[in-house]
PDB file of all heavy atoms in Angstrom:
ATOM      1  N   LYS A  59     158.238  26.357 114.985  1.00 71.00           N
ATOM      2  CA  LYS A  59     158.447  26.769 113.602  1.00 71.00           C
ATOM      3  C   LYS A  59     157.907  25.698 112.648  1.00 71.00           C
ATOM      4  O   LYS A  59     158.130  24.511 112.850  1.00 71.00           O
ATOM      5  CB  LYS A  59     159.935  27.008 113.326  1.00 71.00           C
ATOM      6  CG  LYS A  59     160.516  28.149 114.147  1.00 71.00           C
ATOM      7  CD  LYS A  59     161.977  28.346 113.832  1.00 71.00           C
ATOM      8  CE  LYS A  59     162.576  29.483 114.648  1.00 71.00           C
ATOM      9  NZ  LYS A  59     164.006  29.674 114.347  1.00 71.00           N
ATOM     10  N   LYS A  60     157.192  26.145 111.651  1.00 56.00           N
ATOM     11  CA  LYS A  60     156.648  25.231 110.646  1.00 56.00           C
ATOM     12  C   LYS A  60     157.504  25.276 109.392  1.00 56.00           C
ATOM     13  O   LYS A  60     157.927  26.343 108.947  1.00 56.00           O
ATOM     14  CB  LYS A  60     155.201  25.614 110.308  1.00 56.00           C
ATOM     15  CG  LYS A  60     154.269  25.527 111.513  1.00 56.00           C
ATOM     16  CD  LYS A  60     152.845  25.893 111.136  1.00 56.00           C
ATOM     17  CE  LYS A  60     151.904  25.786 112.338  1.00 56.00           C
ATOM     18  NZ  LYS A  60     150.524  26.140 111.979  1.00 56.00           N
ATOM     19  N   GLN A  61     157.710  24.122 108.814  1.00 50.00           N
ATOM     20  CA  GLN A  61     158.560  24.058 107.616  1.00 50.00           C
ATOM     21  C   GLN A  61     157.885  24.720 106.421  1.00 50.00           C
ATOM     22  O   GLN A  61     158.529  25.359 105.615  1.00 50.00           O
ATOM     23  CB  GLN A  61     158.888  22.606 107.297  1.00 50.00           C
ATOM     24  CG  GLN A  61     159.741  21.915 108.354  1.00 50.00           C
ATOM     25  CD  GLN A  61     160.073  20.504 107.987  1.00 50.00           C
ATOM     26  OE1 GLN A  61     159.556  19.978 106.993  1.00 50.00           O
ATOM     27  NE2 GLN A  61     160.925  19.860 108.775  1.00 50.00           N
ATOM     28  N   ALA A  62     156.594  24.522 106.311  1.00 45.00           N
ATOM     29  CA  ALA A  62     155.891  25.109 105.166  1.00 45.00           C
ATOM     30  C   ALA A  62     154.591  25.716 105.662  1.00 45.00           C
ATOM     31  O   ALA A  62     153.511  25.113 105.576  1.00 45.00           O
ATOM     32  CB  ALA A  62     155.603  24.059 104.093  1.00 45.00           C
ATOM     33  N   PRO A  63     154.618  26.928 106.231  1.00 45.00           N
ATOM     34  CA  PRO A  63     153.399  27.544 106.733  1.00 45.00           C
ATOM     35  C   PRO A  63     152.442  27.855 105.595  1.00 45.00           C
ATOM     36  O   PRO A  63     152.861  28.206 104.494  1.00 45.00           O
ATOM     37  CB  PRO A  63     153.910  28.829 107.403  1.00 45.00           C
ATOM     38  CG  PRO A  63     155.208  29.116 106.735  1.00 45.00           C
ATOM     39  CD  PRO A  63     155.794  27.792 106.390  1.00 45.00           C
ATOM     40  N   PRO A  64     151.155  27.698 105.837  1.00 46.00           N
ATOM     41  CA  PRO A  64     150.175  27.975 104.780  1.00 46.00           C
ATOM     42  C   PRO A  64     150.206  29.447 104.403  1.00 46.00           C
ATOM     43  O   PRO A  64     150.373  30.314 105.267  1.00 46.00           O
ATOM     44  CB  PRO A  64     148.845  27.599 105.436  1.00 46.00           C
ATOM     45  CG  PRO A  64     149.099  27.707 106.894  1.00 46.00           C
ATOM     46  CD  PRO A  64     150.518  27.310 107.098  1.00 46.00           C
ATOM     47  N   PRO A  65     150.092  29.752 103.145  1.00 46.00           N
ATOM     48  CA  PRO A  65     150.120  31.149 102.705  1.00 46.00           C
ATOM     49  C   PRO A  65     148.897  31.899 103.211  1.00 46.00           C
ATOM     50  O   PRO A  65     147.818  31.332 103.351  1.00 46.00           O
ATOM     51  CB  PRO A  65     150.118  31.035 101.167  1.00 46.00           C
ATOM     52  CG  PRO A  65     149.489  29.712 100.890  1.00 46.00           C
ATOM     53  CD  PRO A  65     149.890  28.810 102.019  1.00 46.00           C
ATOM     54  N   GLN A  66     149.081  33.165 103.523  1.00 46.00           N
ATOM     55  CA  GLN A  66     147.976  34.006 103.948  1.00 46.00           C
ATOM     56  C   GLN A  66     147.082  34.338 102.752  1.00 46.00           C
ATOM     57  O   GLN A  66     147.539  34.398 101.609  1.00 46.00           O
ATOM     58  CB  GLN A  66     148.517  35.312 104.577  1.00 46.00           C
ATOM     59  CG  GLN A  66     149.375  35.079 105.805  1.00 46.00           C
ATOM     60  CD  GLN A  66     148.580  34.474 106.929  1.00 46.00           C
ATOM     61  OE1 GLN A  66     147.385  34.743 107.043  1.00 46.00           O
ATOM     62  NE2 GLN A  66     149.225  33.619 107.715  1.00 46.00           N
ATOM     63  N   PRO A  67     145.768  34.545 102.999  1.00 47.00           N
ATOM     64  CA  PRO A  67     144.869  34.892 101.898  1.00 47.00           C
ATOM     65  C   PRO A  67     145.344  36.142 101.181  1.00 47.00           C
ATOM     66  O   PRO A  67     145.753  37.112 101.814  1.00 47.00           O
ATOM     67  CB  PRO A  67     143.525  35.127 102.607  1.00 47.00           C
ATOM     68  CG  PRO A  67     143.648  34.393 103.897  1.00 47.00           C
ATOM     69  CD  PRO A  67     145.075  34.464 104.288  1.00 47.00           C
ATOM     70  N   ALA A  68     145.312  36.076  99.880  1.00 44.00           N
ATOM     71  CA  ALA A  68     145.763  37.218  99.078  1.00 44.00           C
ATOM     72  C   ALA A  68     144.735  38.327  99.150  1.00 44.00           C
ATOM     73  O   ALA A  68     143.531  38.083  99.144  1.00 44.00           O
ATOM     74  CB  ALA A  68     145.953  36.791  97.615  1.00 44.00           C
ATOM     75  N   PRO A  69     145.156  39.576  99.238  1.00 46.00           N
ATOM     76  CA  PRO A  69     144.203  40.684  99.300  1.00 46.00           C
ATOM     77  C   PRO A  69     143.469  40.838  97.979  1.00 46.00           C
ATOM     78  O   PRO A  69     143.981  40.546  96.907  1.00 46.00           O
ATOM     79  CB  PRO A  69     145.098  41.886  99.597  1.00 46.00           C
ATOM     80  CG  PRO A  69     146.436  41.503  99.088  1.00 46.00           C
ATOM     81  CD  PRO A  69     146.550  40.026  99.291  1.00 46.00           C
ATOM     82  N   VAL A  70     142.244  41.287  98.101  1.00 44.00           N
ATOM     83  CA  VAL A  70     141.442  41.520  96.899  1.00 44.00           C
ATOM     84  C   VAL A  70     141.929  42.789  96.230  1.00 44.00           C
ATOM     85  O   VAL A  70     142.300  43.759  96.894  1.00 44.00           O
ATOM     86  CB  VAL A  70     139.954  41.649  97.281  1.00 44.00           C
ATOM     87  CG1 VAL A  70     139.112  41.955  96.062  1.00 44.00           C
ATOM     88  CG2 VAL A  70     139.480  40.373  97.949  1.00 44.00           C
ATOM     89  N   ALA A  71     141.960  42.750  94.930  1.00 44.00           N
ATOM     90  CA  ALA A  71     142.445  43.897  94.180  1.00 44.00           C
ATOM     91  C   ALA A  71     141.634  45.129  94.528  1.00 44.00           C
ATOM     92  O   ALA A  71     140.413  45.069  94.673  1.00 44.00           O
ATOM     93  CB  ALA A  71     142.368  43.615  92.678  1.00 44.00           C
ATOM     94  N   GLY A  72     142.267  46.235  94.641  1.00 48.00           N
ATOM     95  CA  GLY A  72     141.574  47.470  94.958  1.00 48.00           C
ATOM     96  C   GLY A  72     142.374  48.274  95.958  1.00 48.00           C
ATOM     97  O   GLY A  72     143.368  47.814  96.497  1.00 48.00           O
ATOM     98  N   ASN A  73     141.928  49.492  96.223  1.00 53.00           N
ATOM     99  CA  ASN A  73     142.625  50.375  97.134  1.00 53.00           C
ATOM    100  C   ASN A  73     142.124  50.185  98.558  1.00 53.00           C
ATOM    101  O   ASN A  73     141.029  49.693  98.786  1.00 53.00           O
ATOM    102  CB  ASN A  73     142.419  51.830  96.699  1.00 53.00           C
ATOM    103  CG  ASN A  73     143.017  52.099  95.320  1.00 53.00           C
ATOM    104  OD1 ASN A  73     144.029  51.501  94.970  1.00 53.00           O
ATOM    105  ND2 ASN A  73     142.386  52.972  94.554  1.00 53.00           N
ATOM    106  N   GLY A  74     142.913  50.630  99.539  1.00 60.00           N
ATOM    107  CA  GLY A  74     142.503  50.574 100.922  1.00 60.00           C
ATOM    108  C   GLY A  74     142.962  49.303 101.613  1.00 60.00           C
ATOM    109  O   GLY A  74     143.321  48.319 100.970  1.00 60.00           O
ATOM    110  N   PRO A  75     142.923  49.278 102.951  1.00 73.00           N
ATOM    111  CA  PRO A  75     143.350  48.104 103.714  1.00 73.00           C
ATOM    112  C   PRO A  75     142.342  46.975 103.604  1.00 73.00           C
ATOM    113  O   PRO A  75     141.175  47.172 103.254  1.00 73.00           O
ATOM    114  CB  PRO A  75     143.429  48.641 105.150  1.00 73.00           C
ATOM    115  CG  PRO A  75     142.449  49.775 105.184  1.00 73.00           C
ATOM    116  CD  PRO A  75     142.505  50.393 103.816  1.00 73.00           C
ATOM    117  N   LYS A  76     142.797  45.748 103.936  1.00 85.00           N
ATOM    118  CA  LYS A  76     141.911  44.592 103.910  1.00 85.00           C
ATOM    119  C   LYS A  76     140.966  44.637 105.101  1.00 85.00           C
ATOM    120  O   LYS A  76     141.309  45.135 106.164  1.00 85.00           O
ATOM    121  CB  LYS A  76     142.740  43.307 103.939  1.00 85.00           C
ATOM    122  CG  LYS A  76     143.549  43.061 102.691  1.00 85.00           C
ATOM    123  CD  LYS A  76     144.218  41.699 102.737  1.00 85.00           C
ATOM    124  CE  LYS A  76     145.314  41.655 103.787  1.00 85.00           C
ATOM    125  NZ  LYS A  76     146.031  40.367 103.764  1.00 85.00           N
ATOM    126  N   GLN A  77     139.793  44.065 104.905  1.00 90.00           N
ATOM    127  CA  GLN A  77     138.818  43.966 105.973  1.00 90.00           C
ATOM    128  C   GLN A  77     138.523  42.505 106.261  1.00 90.00           C
ATOM    129  O   GLN A  77     138.573  41.662 105.372  1.00 90.00           O
ATOM    130  CB  GLN A  77     137.517  44.701 105.602  1.00 90.00           C
ATOM    131  CG  GLN A  77     137.664  46.221 105.553  1.00 90.00           C
ATOM    132  CD  GLN A  77     136.336  46.901 105.298  1.00 90.00           C
ATOM    133  OE1 GLN A  77     135.503  46.366 104.577  1.00 90.00           O
ATOM    134  NE2 GLN A  77     136.141  48.077 105.885  1.00 90.00           N
ATOM    135  N   ILE A  78     138.229  42.222 107.526  1.00 92.00           N
ATOM    136  CA  ILE A  78     137.886  40.870 107.933  1.00 92.00           C
ATOM    137  C   ILE A  78     136.536  40.902 108.629  1.00 92.00           C
ATOM    138  O   ILE A  78     136.110  41.955 109.139  1.00 92.00           O
ATOM    139  CB  ILE A  78     138.952  40.278 108.875  1.00 92.00           C
ATOM    140  CG1 ILE A  78     139.177  41.196 110.090  1.00 92.00           C
ATOM    141  CG2 ILE A  78     140.256  40.040 108.134  1.00 92.00           C
ATOM    142  CD1 ILE A  78     140.151  40.647 111.105  1.00 92.00           C
ATOM    143  N   VAL A  79     135.855  39.771 108.635  1.00 92.00           N
ATOM    144  CA  VAL A  79     134.546  39.675 109.272  1.00 92.00           C
ATOM    145  C   VAL A  79     134.604  38.580 110.331  1.00 92.00           C
ATOM    146  O   VAL A  79     135.227  37.533 110.139  1.00 92.00           O
ATOM    147  CB  VAL A  79     133.437  39.384 108.242  1.00 92.00           C
ATOM    148  CG1 VAL A  79     133.668  38.070 107.533  1.00 92.00           C
ATOM    149  CG2 VAL A  79     132.061  39.404 108.897  1.00 92.00           C
ATOM    150  N   ALA A  80     133.972  38.835 111.478  1.00 93.00           N
ATOM    151  CA  ALA A  80     133.954  37.864 112.568  1.00 93.00           C
ATOM    152  C   ALA A  80     132.941  36.770 112.265  1.00 93.00           C
ATOM    153  O   ALA A  80     131.769  37.048 112.017  1.00 93.00           O
ATOM    154  CB  ALA A  80     133.619  38.556 113.882  1.00 93.00           C
ATOM    155  N   LYS A  81     133.387  35.524 112.311  1.00 91.00           N
ATOM    156  CA  LYS A  81     132.502  34.390 112.063  1.00 91.00           C
ATOM    157  C   LYS A  81     131.800  33.940 113.343  1.00 91.00           C
ATOM    158  O   LYS A  81     130.725  33.346 113.278  1.00 91.00           O
ATOM    159  CB  LYS A  81     133.308  33.224 111.482  1.00 91.00           C
ATOM    160  CG  LYS A  81     133.961  33.542 110.138  1.00 91.00           C
ATOM    161  CD  LYS A  81     134.554  32.303 109.508  1.00 91.00           C
ATOM    162  CE  LYS A  81     135.759  31.794 110.273  1.00 91.00           C
ATOM    163  NZ  LYS A  81     136.364  30.607 109.616  1.00 91.00           N
ATOM    164  N   TYR A  82     132.418  34.224 114.504  1.00 90.00           N
ATOM    165  CA  TYR A  82     131.860  33.784 115.773  1.00 90.00           C
ATOM    166  C   TYR A  82     132.132  34.854 116.822  1.00 90.00           C
ATOM    167  O   TYR A  82     133.006  35.710 116.662  1.00 90.00           O
ATOM    168  CB  TYR A  82     132.499  32.461 116.233  1.00 90.00           C
ATOM    169  CG  TYR A  82     132.715  31.473 115.114  1.00 90.00           C
ATOM    170  CD1 TYR A  82     133.977  31.297 114.554  1.00 90.00           C
ATOM    171  CD2 TYR A  82     131.652  30.738 114.600  1.00 90.00           C
ATOM    172  CE1 TYR A  82     134.177  30.409 113.514  1.00 90.00           C
ATOM    173  CE2 TYR A  82     131.840  29.847 113.558  1.00 90.00           C
ATOM    174  CZ  TYR A  82     133.105  29.684 113.021  1.00 90.00           C
ATOM    175  OH  TYR A  82     133.306  28.815 111.990  1.00 90.00           O
ATOM    176  N   ASP A  83     131.372  34.800 117.899  1.00 89.00           N
ATOM    177  CA  ASP A  83     131.622  35.683 119.034  1.00 89.00           C
ATOM    178  C   ASP A  83     132.901  35.252 119.750  1.00 89.00           C
ATOM    179  O   ASP A  83     133.231  34.073 119.814  1.00 89.00           O
ATOM    180  CB  ASP A  83     130.456  35.637 120.025  1.00 89.00           C
ATOM    181  CG  ASP A  83     129.226  36.357 119.493  1.00 89.00           C
ATOM    182  OD1 ASP A  83     129.354  37.061 118.469  1.00 89.00           O
ATOM    183  OD2 ASP A  83     128.145  36.203 120.079  1.00 89.00           O
ATOM    184  N   TYR A  84     133.598  36.243 120.300  1.00 88.00           N
ATOM    185  CA  TYR A  84     134.810  35.946 121.075  1.00 88.00           C
ATOM    186  C   TYR A  84     134.943  37.001 122.161  1.00 88.00           C
ATOM    187  O   TYR A  84     134.850  38.213 121.891  1.00 88.00           O
ATOM    188  CB  TYR A  84     136.056  35.960 120.178  1.00 88.00           C
ATOM    189  CG  TYR A  84     137.352  35.953 120.953  1.00 88.00           C
ATOM    190  CD1 TYR A  84     137.758  34.826 121.667  1.00 88.00           C
ATOM    191  CD2 TYR A  84     138.166  37.093 121.004  1.00 88.00           C
ATOM    192  CE1 TYR A  84     138.930  34.825 122.391  1.00 88.00           C
ATOM    193  CE2 TYR A  84     139.342  37.093 121.724  1.00 88.00           C
ATOM    194  CZ  TYR A  84     139.721  35.951 122.413  1.00 88.00           C
ATOM    195  OH  TYR A  84     140.898  35.958 123.138  1.00 88.00           O
ATOM    196  N   GLN A  85     135.143  36.556 123.394  1.00 87.00           N
ATOM    197  CA  GLN A  85     135.321  37.454 124.528  1.00 87.00           C
ATOM    198  C   GLN A  85     136.804  37.508 124.888  1.00 87.00           C
ATOM    199  O   GLN A  85     137.387  36.499 125.281  1.00 87.00           O
ATOM    200  CB  GLN A  85     134.502  36.973 125.737  1.00 87.00           C
ATOM    201  CG  GLN A  85     134.612  37.890 126.954  1.00 87.00           C
ATOM    202  CD  GLN A  85     134.076  39.298 126.674  1.00 87.00           C
ATOM    203  OE1 GLN A  85     133.032  39.439 126.018  1.00 87.00           O
ATOM    204  NE2 GLN A  85     134.779  40.307 127.127  1.00 87.00           N
ATOM    205  N   ALA A  86     137.394  38.660 124.742  1.00 84.00           N
ATOM    206  CA  ALA A  86     138.834  38.805 125.033  1.00 84.00           C
ATOM    207  C   ALA A  86     139.089  38.589 126.519  1.00 84.00           C
ATOM    208  O   ALA A  86     138.351  39.093 127.364  1.00 84.00           O
ATOM    209  CB  ALA A  86     139.314  40.190 124.607  1.00 84.00           C
ATOM    210  N   ASN A  87     140.137  37.833 126.824  1.00 80.00           N
ATOM    211  CA  ASN A  87     140.508  37.578 128.223  1.00 80.00           C
ATOM    212  C   ASN A  87     141.888  38.125 128.553  1.00 80.00           C
ATOM    213  O   ASN A  87     142.431  37.855 129.611  1.00 80.00           O
ATOM    214  CB  ASN A  87     140.453  36.078 128.526  1.00 80.00           C
ATOM    215  CG  ASN A  87     141.311  35.268 127.572  1.00 80.00           C
ATOM    216  OD1 ASN A  87     142.035  35.843 126.768  1.00 80.00           O
ATOM    217  ND2 ASN A  87     141.207  33.957 127.646  1.00 80.00           N
ATOM    218  N   GLN A  88     142.469  38.875 127.642  1.00 76.00           N
ATOM    219  CA  GLN A  88     143.765  39.507 127.883  1.00 76.00           C
ATOM    220  C   GLN A  88     143.701  40.944 127.404  1.00 76.00           C
ATOM    221  O   GLN A  88     142.952  41.282 126.475  1.00 76.00           O
ATOM    222  CB  GLN A  88     144.898  38.766 127.156  1.00 76.00           C
ATOM    223  CG  GLN A  88     145.075  37.315 127.593  1.00 76.00           C
ATOM    224  CD  GLN A  88     145.583  37.188 129.010  1.00 76.00           C
ATOM    225  OE1 GLN A  88     146.129  38.139 129.554  1.00 76.00           O
ATOM    226  NE2 GLN A  88     145.388  36.028 129.616  1.00 76.00           N
ATOM    227  N   GLY A  89     144.519  41.810 128.017  1.00 75.00           N
ATOM    228  CA  GLY A  89     144.496  43.222 127.651  1.00 75.00           C
ATOM    229  C   GLY A  89     144.915  43.495 126.222  1.00 75.00           C
ATOM    230  O   GLY A  89     144.530  44.506 125.636  1.00 75.00           O
ATOM    231  N   SER A  90     145.712  42.597 125.642  1.00 81.00           N
ATOM    232  CA  SER A  90     146.194  42.826 124.277  1.00 81.00           C
ATOM    233  C   SER A  90     145.265  42.238 123.223  1.00 81.00           C
ATOM    234  O   SER A  90     145.509  42.409 122.033  1.00 81.00           O
ATOM    235  CB  SER A  90     147.587  42.214 124.128  1.00 81.00           C
ATOM    236  OG  SER A  90     147.538  40.824 124.376  1.00 81.00           O
ATOM    237  N   ASN A  91     144.196  41.524 123.646  1.00 86.00           N
ATOM    238  CA  ASN A  91     143.257  40.913 122.707  1.00 86.00           C
ATOM    239  C   ASN A  91     142.062  41.816 122.479  1.00 86.00           C
ATOM    240  O   ASN A  91     141.840  42.795 123.199  1.00 86.00           O
ATOM    241  CB  ASN A  91     142.802  39.549 123.216  1.00 86.00           C
ATOM    242  CG  ASN A  91     143.964  38.575 123.313  1.00 86.00           C
ATOM    243  OD1 ASN A  91     145.046  38.848 122.804  1.00 86.00           O
ATOM    244  ND2 ASN A  91     143.752  37.453 123.985  1.00 86.00           N
TER     245      ASN A  91
END
Side-chain angles (χ1 to χ4, degrees):
K59 296 180 180 180
K60 299 181 179 180
Q61 295 182 353
Q66 299 296 329
V70 177
N73 297 327
K76 292 186 291 184
Q77 291 185 326
I78 55 177
V79 61
K81 298 189 291 182
Y82 319 102
D83 287 349
Y84 168 70
Q85 182 62 41
N87 55 7
Q88 299 292 341
S90 60
N91 297 348

